Amino acid sequence: MPEHRSRKDAVRNREAVLTAADTLFSRCESPEEVTMADIAAAAGVGKGTLFRAFGDRVGLLRALYEARLEPLREAVETGPPPLGPATPPRQRVPALLDALLCFKLDNRHLAVALEESGSASPYQVEHYERWHGLLRAALGQIPDLTDSDFTAHALLAAVRADLVEHLAGQQRVPRERLRARLADYTARVLAPGPPGQSTTED
Amino acid sequence: MPEHRSRKDAVRNREAVLTAADTLFSRCESPEEVTMADIAAAAGVGKGTLFRAFGDRVGLLRALYEARLEPLREAVETGPPPLGPATPPRQRVPALLDALLCFKLDNRHLAVALEESGSASPYQVEHYERWHGLLRAALGQIPDLTDSDFTAHALLAAVRADLVEHLAGQQRVPRERLRARLADYTARVLAPGPPGQSTTED
DNA sequence: TTGAAAGCGGACTCAAGGTCCGGATTCTAC
DNA sequence: GTAGAATCCGGACCTTGAGTCCGCTTTCAA
């Protein structure tokens, strides 16, 4: 192979930083009490290393987030039902949202940190586009849904990290209860029957 | 009146700061390119004045936001239908959400600035509780809705400032189209028909 | 008019993200 | 194995913006 992507101390340090950041974020309640200097110190490297490897704070957060999200991404893209692409839309949409909710429950601090990291609204983070496109496509295959684009946005908004954090973290809503609520809500949104005029029940 | 709440230069400066901040926020695209020093300079006062009057950045944002929101608040609390308390819930809920959407469309920068101001998730801002309580109460009067609490959160999430900003600002979705989408979506959520066990359909 | 309480404002502090460069480490070529 | 160059390390340093402080000014009541 003609390209040596990076030196081995580089990859080692990169891993160390990711691990340290992961630990720190999961330990602290608020993501902003974890500074870049803290992370560097915990990883046993200098700040320069940290910034060279990830660019800036958001880059580090994103890398962490993507790494954590990888299994789910794979399950969605090439896995079996109910998450995989072969699932019928009416089952897949709730499954996707439930998976996303569980992910944010399991990675609360990290997700909050990324979604509210400075100026980057979640809608500018690349993976939001993926989820939105996915959901939109699935919704588009369900008849009677007038606008799958907005619906996808609205459904994703229901599992935003800070809302999840507020409900699960602040108000101590149990995990299963939250999942049930979301499932109910999703089912209602997907329920057959055109909106606007509450027509004949079917 | 025995209490002179504040000196007249104090109130004059307070107004000047609010006006200046309003102007600056509506002029700039991103809320963080407006610094406290900028606001102070534009208002023709010192930074000390600004911080004494509002405590900190979030306090200033909140004061601005509340001031802007005041007419809507009054319309909701003591006004005529479709916003006022006399409105039947099935009409009031969409009306409230539409009003909120319009407000955020009209005050995009300010709303974004407040909702993502540092660590304060929108769920810790006091007025979120008001809206949520309002919506929740209205939803509670609609039969067949299993959990008005979560539903209220989810519906409010659909009009979050950064989503509105993303759709209206970034993707140039026209105002009326957005309102129509939200109305459709709301109608779907409120549509009669039991959720949950309808997944046996396909 | 006058004294003092309230307010003013800009210089200052502090914290955190981000940069830089001399020195150490790794990899390749021989 | 070794030389030498490219890469990387790391912490001192810079910048920026929120928030503080205190001597001076304005307001207000007596």
Side-chain angles (χ1 to χ4, degrees):
Chain A
M1 64 186 88
E3 300 247 18
H4 279 172
R5 297 304 302 158
S6 43
R7 263 166 43 174
K8 83 177 175 195
D9 53 350
V11 299
R12 175 174 43 79
N13 281 335
R14 186 187 166 90
E15 287 310 310
V17 168
L18 280 176
T19 305
D22 206 348
T23 305
L24 288 183
F25 277 116
S26 62
R27 177 144 47 221
C28 296
E29 270 314 303
S30 172
E32 13 211 281
E33 61 196 44
V34 178
T35 75
M36 297 301 268
D38 290 340
I39 297 172
V45 303
K47 287 178 62 177
T49 303
L50 190 154
F51 280 98
R52 198 173 324 99
F54 297 100
D56 58 2
R57 185 174 229 264
V58 177
L60 171 57
L61 270 306
R62 206 150 46 195
L64 248 181
Y65 196 81
E66 298 283 349
R68 293 284 202 109
L69 202 52
E70 178 57 25
L72 179 54
R73 195 181 67 86
E74 195 172 322
V76 166
E77 287 183 1
T78 64
L83 286 179
T87 320
R90 276 200 193 278
Q91 288 165 29
R92 198 183 187 201
V93 169
L96 290 174
L97 288 170
D98 183 60
L100 215 38
L101 172 63
C102 288
F103 178 78
K104 301 212 180 176
L105 282 168
D106 292 334
N107 302 276
R108 283 194 288 138
H109 299 148
L110 179 57
V112 170
L114 181 59
E115 284 195 9
E116 74 178 24
S117 65
S119 63
S121 77
Y123 305 100
Q124 282 154 13
V125 177
E126 172 253 346
H127 76 260
Y128 182 87
E129 285 300 325
R130 277 215 325 268
W131 285 100
H132 178 255
L134 207 63
L135 228 80
R136 182 191 178 185
L139 290 168
Q141 295 173 23
I142 299 179
D144 293 335
L145 280 189
T146 50
D147 187 62
S148 52
D149 193 89
F150 182 82
T151 305
H153 281 302
L155 285 176
L156 283 176
V159 292
R160 281 191 52 169
D162 48 5
L163 177 54
V164 171
E165 164 65 23
H166 180 235
L167 294 176
Q170 245 67 32
Q171 302 198 163
R172 306 284 177 172
V173 179
R175 177 189 184 94
E176 294 310 319
R177 184 190 196 86
L178 204 50
R179 292 180 65 189
R181 297 311 189 206
L182 177 65
D184 271 9
Y185 182 77
T186 309
R188 181 175 302 274
V189 172
L190 300 188
Q197 65 282 22
S198 56
T199 53
T200 61
E201 178 76 12
D202 43 350
Chain B
M1 61 186 86
E3 300 248 18
H4 280 175
R5 295 306 302 157
S6 45
R7 261 164 47 170
K8 83 178 174 195
D9 52 350
V11 299
R12 174 174 42 81
N13 282 334
R14 185 187 167 91
E15 286 310 310
V17 167
L18 281 176
T19 305
D22 205 348
T23 304
L24 288 184
F25 277 116
S26 61
R27 178 145 47 223
C28 297
E29 271 313 302
S30 171
E32 11 212 283
E33 61 195 43
V34 178
T35 74
M36 297 299 270
D38 290 340
I39 297 172
V45 303
K47 286 178 63 178
T49 303
L50 190 154
F51 279 98
R52 198 171 327 98
F54 298 99
D56 58 2
R57 187 173 226 265
V58 178
L60 171 56
L61 270 307
R62 205 150 45 195
L64 247 181
Y65 196 81
E66 297 283 349
R68 293 284 203 108
L69 202 53
E70 178 57 25
L72 180 54
R73 195 182 68 85
E74 195 171 323
V76 166
E77 287 184 0
T78 63
L83 286 179
T87 320
R90 275 198 193 279
Q91 290 163 29
R92 199 184 186 198
V93 169
L96 289 174
L97 288 171
D98 183 61
L100 215 39
L101 172 62
C102 288
F103 177 79
K104 301 214 180 174
L105 282 168
D106 293 334
N107 301 276
R108 282 194 287 139
H109 299 146
L110 179 57
V112 170
L114 181 59
E115 283 195 8
E116 73 179 25
S117 64
S119 63
S121 76
Y123 305 100
Q124 281 153 15
V125 177
E126 173 253 347
H127 76 260
Y128 182 86
E129 285 300 325
R130 277 215 324 268
W131 285 100
H132 179 256
L134 208 63
L135 229 82
R136 181 191 179 185
L139 290 168
Q141 295 173 23
I142 299 179
D144 292 335
L145 280 188
T146 49
D147 187 61
S148 51
D149 192 89
F150 182 82
T151 305
H153 280 302
L155 286 176
L156 283 176
V159 293
R160 281 190 54 168
D162 47 5
L163 177 54
V164 171
E165 165 64 23
H166 179 238
L167 293 176
Q170 245 67 31
Q171 304 199 162
R172 306 284 178 172
V173 179
R175 177 190 184 94
E176 293 309 319
R177 184 191 195 85
L178 205 50
R179 293 180 64 189
R181 297 311 188 206
L182 176 65
D184 271 11
Y185 181 78
T186 310
R188 181 175 303 276
V189 172
L190 300 188
Q197 62 277 19
S198 65
T199 49
T200 59
E201 290 307 314
D202 43 326

